[in-house]
């Protein structure tokens, strides 16, 4: 399992809604094979020197990618080369970069007009008067895999932000224990209890669903990182296996759109 954590990661051209339709998994989930850069032409010693050089040159994304490869393929070198400390050094720099990107995004967010922020958002009011807001691009099938944010407003006007993710299979349960989201080579862990449900009908869909409220600075940091990120992937991890999903440009934009609308409408920032 430790090696799983070193895999260069990841959430996904899926979103989920509640329309009771059952299109195929193939139609609703992008399942791309892992695409890793090949550093096999470099010996471990040369790869290590490259990594150190990338750090000195402030090429943190490239260096972290090579470091991940070295740690995955040569775990026997982790202690002797103190690679865990090197990983912490890279992660600290990557976190600084993401913080700067969010600061710029916050400035741009304030420049946007209401029409720019809200026209990509749809709303739906339930029988109890709670209004749900999500991106118009969110898919509408309960058999969709999904990874997206939405927010609600109750009758008193209070806003709450949520992250919703669903894994779908027509074969076996994955039995997800946690989720690792990688944004531009920096890992974040999302934990919570996934609810398992098997749909009825001719074709059985095994779904594992987690809805978690974004109500802390730690969780908000993840949402902002995804909203501002370039290369984003999600790893659903179980005790015995894992499944990887990548976030499309459209999905990333949907994260940013919903976050912008939530903050514009007065949602708590949890800085």
């Amino acid at each position: 399992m430790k090696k799983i954590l070193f895999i260069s990661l990841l959430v996904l051209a899926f979103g989920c809604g509640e329309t009771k339709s059952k299109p195929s998994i193939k139609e609703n989930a992008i399942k791309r094979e892992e695409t890793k850069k090949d550093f096999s032409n470099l010996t471990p010693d040369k790869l290590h020197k490259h990594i150190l050089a990338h750090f000195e040159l402030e090429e943190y994304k490239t260096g972290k990618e090579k470091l991940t490869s070295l740690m995955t393929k040569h775990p026997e070198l982790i202690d002797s080369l103190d690679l865990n400390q090197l990983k912490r050094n890279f992660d600290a720099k990557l976190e600084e970069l993401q913080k700067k990107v969010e600061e710029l995004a916050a400035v741009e967010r304030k420049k946007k007009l209401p029409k720019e922020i809200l026209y990509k958002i749809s709303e739906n009011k339930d029988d109890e008067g709670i209004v749900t807001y999500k991106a118009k691009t969110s898919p509408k099938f309960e058999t969709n895999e999904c990874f997206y944010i939405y927010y609600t407003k109750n009758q008193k006007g209070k806003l709450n932000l949520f992250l919703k993710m669903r894994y779908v299979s027509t074969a076996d349960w994955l039995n997800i224990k946690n989720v690792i989201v990688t944004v531009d080579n920096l890992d974040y862990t999302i934990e919570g209890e996934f609810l398992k449900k098997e749909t009825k009908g001719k074709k059985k869909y095994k779904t594992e669903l987690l809805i978690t409220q974004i109500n802390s600075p730690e969780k908000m940091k993840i949402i902002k990182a995804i909203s501002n990120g370039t290369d984003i992937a999600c790893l659903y991890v179980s005790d015995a296996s894992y499944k990887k999903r990548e976030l499309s440009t459209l999905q990333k934009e949907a994260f940013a759109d919903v976050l912008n609308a939530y903050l514009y409408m007065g949602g708590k920032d949890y800085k």
Side-chain angles (χ1 to χ4, degrees), residues 18-187:
E18 303 307 326
T19 302
K20 295 185 178 180
S21 178
K22 294 182 174 61
S24 68
I25 294 293
K26 184 178 180 180
E27 291 170 336
N28 283 312
I30 286 185
K31 299 185 177 182
R32 287 170 44 183
E33 295 297 321
E34 291 185 33
T35 55
K36 300 178 182 177
K37 290 185 179 179
D38 185 10
F39 304 117
S40 60
N41 61 316
L42 298 172
T43 64
D45 181 60
K46 287 186 178 180
L47 187 57
H48 182 237
K49 289 179 180 178
H50 280 210
I51 294 165
L52 295 176
H54 284 306
F55 189 86
E56 291 300 319
L57 293 170
E58 300 183 0
E59 298 169 348
Y60 303 121
K61 291 182 181 180
T62 302
K64 177 66 183 297
E65 186 174 28
K66 291 183 177 180
L67 176 60
T68 298
S69 177
L70 180 60
M71 295 177 78
T72 302
K73 294 181 179 179
H74 297 281
E76 73 279 2
L77 299 177
I78 290 176
D79 291 335
S80 62
L81 295 179
D82 202 9
L83 298 184
N84 280 326
Q85 181 58 53
L86 189 54
K87 178 180 180 295
R88 287 191 287 270
N89 294 343
F90 270 102
D91 286 350
K93 293 298 183 180
L94 289 170
E95 191 166 350
E96 287 178 12
L97 289 177
Q98 289 189 4
K99 184 177 180 180
K100 290 178 181 178
V101 171
E102 168 52 28
E103 289 173 352
L104 292 174
V107 172
E108 291 302 313
R109 193 178 293 130
K110 292 180 180 179
K111 295 179 181 179
K112 291 181 178 292
L113 299 173
K115 185 180 294 186
E116 291 181 89
I117 293 175
L118 300 177
Y119 87 100
K120 295 182 179 179
I121 305 299
S122 65
E123 62 179 81
N124 181 63
K125 188 173 184 179
D126 65 17
D127 295 336
E128 297 179 356
I130 296 177
V131 185
T132 298
Y133 301 85
K134 62 182 181 180
K136 291 180 179 178
T137 55
S138 298
K140 299 177 173 60
F141 302 109
E142 65 176 6
T143 48
N144 274 99
E145 292 196 354
C146 69
F147 192 105
Y148 72 89
I149 55 173
Y150 67 92
Y151 66 96
T152 62
K153 182 172 68 174
N154 63 20
Q155 292 179 329
K156 295 182 179 180
K158 183 179 179 180
L159 302 183
N160 290 305
L161 183 65
F162 296 90
L163 170 63
K164 185 172 186 177
M165 61 186 82
R166 176 188 282 131
Y167 171 77
V168 182
S169 174
T170 55
D172 301 319
W173 296 105
L174 185 56
N175 297 315
I176 302 168
K177 298 299 182 183
N178 57 54
V179 180
I180 301 172
V181 179
T182 299
V183 181
D184 297 328
N185 290 313
L186 188 60
D187 295 345

